[in-house]
Amino acid sequence: SQKIEQNSEALNIQEGKTATLTCNYTNYSPAYLQWYRQDPGRGPVFLLLIRENEKEKRKERLKVTFDTTLKQSLFHITASQPADSATYLCALGGYALNFGKGTSLLVTP
Amino acid sequence: EAQVTQNPRYLITVTGKKLTVTCSQNMNHEYMSWYRQDPGLGLRQIYYSMNVEVTDKGDVPEGYKVSRKEKRNFPLILESPSPNQTSLYFCASRGTLRETGNTIYFGEGSWLTVV
C-alpha cells in the first residue's frame, strides 16, 4: 500500500541552526512533491513544490531536495528562528494529494 | 485576497442532530475537498469534488455527505453526527497543475464536538 512517512518525533533545535526534516514514501511514483507548514489549530499553508526532474528547490531560507531513487525528500530550514516552530507536512500523489502525518519542529532561542 | 472560508469555526452538537459545515472559495478553483484531522492520524480526505455536480469518496467518507451545486461552494453534511466524528475539519481547494502546481489552499478549520 502507499505510504508517506515523516519522523513522528519532534525535532528540537537551537535558533540559528539548520533544521532538516525527512519525508520517505513507498509505492508512489510522484511527478511532484509538496511541503506545507501547519500551526496548531490552523489550516496547512503551502511552502514549496518540487518536481521529479528537479533535484533541489530553494525559497529564501528553505531548501527542498527530491531523490526519486531513494524515494525521499529532505526539507531544510537554514538559520532557523523560533517563528519557524510548527508542524511540517509533506504531500504527494496524483490528482488526490495525500499527506504525511507531519513532523513537529521546535526552535528554541 | 484568495480565501477558503468555512463556517462554523467552532461547534458543539448532540448525537443525531443534523449539521452542515459550509465552505466557499473565491479562486474559481474546480477542485475542492474536505479533510478531517485527528491526533496521530494526520489529515484524511473525506470527500472531494473535481467540478460542479462531480463528487467522489475519499479515504473516510462514512457518515458524511457533500454536494457541489456551484463552483465556489462545497458544504459538508453530517446527517446524524456521532461522537467519533468529533474532529478538526478542513475544507480545501486547488487550482490546476499548470496554474498553481496543484497547490492546495486550506480553510481555517472547523472544530466539531459531538456529545
Side-chain angles (χ1 to χ4, degrees), chain B residues 37-57:
Chain B
Q37 189 171 38
D38 303 285
L41 297 178
L43 281 165
R44 294 181 293 167
Q45 193 175 55
I46 303 170
Y47 268 94
Y48 63 94
S49 168
M50 291 191 283
N51 213 329
V52 175
E53 302 291 0
V54 180
T55 63
D56 212 343
K57 297 177 182 178

Side-chain angles (χ1 to χ4, degrees), chain A residues 39-64:
Chain A
D39 292 288
R42 309 290 296 274
V45 175
F46 170 76
L47 295 175
L48 277 169
L49 176 151
I50 185 166
R51 300 176 191 272
E52 62 178 338
N53 61 349
E54 297 174 318
K55 296 293 184 190
E56 182 179 297
K57 197 85 167 276
R58 291 176 185 262
K59 179 183 176 182
E60 298 171 354
R61 294 185 295 110
L62 308 180
K63 185 179 86 170
V64 172

Side-chain angles (χ1 to χ4, degrees), chain B residues 36 46-47 57 59-64 85:
Chain B
R36 62 178 288 174
I46 303 170
Y47 268 94
K57 297 177 182 178
D59 298 319
V60 288
E62 295 78 20
Y64 304 94
Q85 293 178 296

Side-chain angles (χ1 to χ4, degrees), chain A residues 31-32 34 36 38-49 51 87 89 91 93-102, chain B residues 9 30-31 35 37 40-43 45 48-50 59 88 90 94 97-98 100-109 111:
Chain A
Y32 53 88
Q34 302 182 23
Y36 289 76
Q38 185 175 24
D39 292 288
R42 309 290 296 274
V45 175
F46 170 76
L47 295 175
L48 277 169
L49 176 151
R51 300 176 191 272
T87 296
L89 309 170
Y95 202 72
L97 211 57
N98 295 312
F99 287 83
K101 293 179 183 178
Chain B
R9 295 287 318 281
E30 292 183 348
Y31 184 96
Y35 293 85
Q37 189 171 38
L41 297 178
L43 281 165
Q45 193 175 55
Y48 63 94
S49 168
M50 291 191 283
D59 298 319
L88 175 58
F90 290 105
R94 189 180 74 192
L97 180 62
R98 181 172 51 86
T100 65
N102 274 358
T103 299
I104 292 186
Y105 296 83
F106 285 88
E108 284 298 307
W111 292 91

Side-chain angles (χ1 to χ4, degrees), chain B residues 20-90:
Chain B
T20 298
V21 186
T22 63
C23 175
S24 179
Q25 50 96 2
N26 63 359
M27 295 168 278
N28 202 35
H29 287 164
E30 292 183 348
Y31 184 96
M32 297 185 72
S33 59
W34 277 100
Y35 293 85
R36 62 178 288 174
Q37 189 171 38
D38 303 285
L41 297 178
L43 281 165
R44 294 181 293 167
Q45 193 175 55
I46 303 170
Y47 268 94
Y48 63 94
S49 168
M50 291 191 283
N51 213 329
V52 175
E53 302 291 0
V54 180
T55 63
D56 212 343
K57 297 177 182 178
D59 298 319
V60 288
E62 295 78 20
Y64 304 94
K65 283 176 58 178
V66 292
S67 69
R68 188 90 183 274
K69 293 184 169 49
E70 304 166 281
K71 197 171 188 180
R72 63 182 292 127
N73 295 324
F74 190 43
L76 179 70
I77 303 157
L78 285 73
E79 293 272 3
S80 182
S82 62
N84 65 10
Q85 293 178 296
T86 293
S87 186
L88 175 58
Y89 291 86
F90 290 105

Side-chain angles (χ1 to χ4, degrees), chain B residues 12-16 81-83 86 113-115:
Chain B
I12 300 175
T13 190
V14 296
T15 299
S82 62
T86 293
T113 301
V114 184
V115 298

